Amino acid sequence: QVQLVESGGGLVQAGGSLRLSCAASGSIFIVNFMAWYRQAPGKQRELVAAIASGGSTNYADSVKGRFTISRDNAKNTMYLQMNSLKPEDTAVYYCKAHVYDNRAWFDAWGQGTQVTVSS
């Protein structure tokens, strides 16, 4: 089994910062593509940022210049540094990882962490 556990969410004022972490554990042999998604109330889940195992990244236009995604391959951990937060960033943030557990490739999801930005 593979588990993804997010941490670092919370309540912050507009303009503030938060750092999210996503740790992968369990029967993991390879972690390839990792990504952060978010879902606000009444809206569809959307991609926020993604990072390949080699370090290449891409971001949603709404967070470019404010958010930075990174990963520590040795720890199977991904991070999202969120600066200059806006009320519209309020959502549940989920991490996703494309992993191989010696049997098959599949996508694993975390349980989500709430980020609330007050105006």
Side-chain angles (χ1 to χ4, degrees):
Q1 290 186 346
V2 174
Q3 298 85 36
L4 298 183
V5 178
E6 300 105 333
S7 61
L11 173 64
V12 64
Q13 288 188 333
S17 298
L18 284 173
R19 188 190 193 214
L20 305 183
S21 299
C22 171
S25 62
S27 302
I28 299 172
F29 280 80
I30 303 173
V31 179
N32 191 1
F33 181 87
M34 301 184 79
W36 288 99
Y37 286 76
R38 67 185 181 187
Q39 187 166 20
K43 295 188 177 181
Q44 289 187 332
R45 190 172 296 189
E46 63 175 356
L47 176 66
V48 176
I51 185 166
S53 56
S56 60
T57 60
N58 67 282
Y59 297 90
D61 287 343
S62 59
V63 306
K64 281 181 181 177
R66 299 188 298 122
F67 291 9
T68 302
I69 190 172
S70 61
R71 62 190 286 173
D72 184 334
N73 291 332
K75 297 180 179 179
N76 285 335
T77 300
M78 174 178 63
Y79 307 95
L80 186 68
Q81 178 66 44
M82 304 186 294
N83 298 328
S84 302
L85 282 161
K86 304 175 181 179
E88 50 264 43
D89 294 319
T90 295
V92 178
Y93 284 70
Y94 299 90
C95 66
K96 185 178 85 170
H98 194 57
V99 301
Y100 180 72
D101 66 353
N102 202 35
R103 293 180 298 172
W105 285 96
F106 61 95
D107 288 333
W109 287 87
Q111 81 288 351
T113 185
Q114 177 70 47
V115 171
T116 302
V117 184
S118 63
S119 57

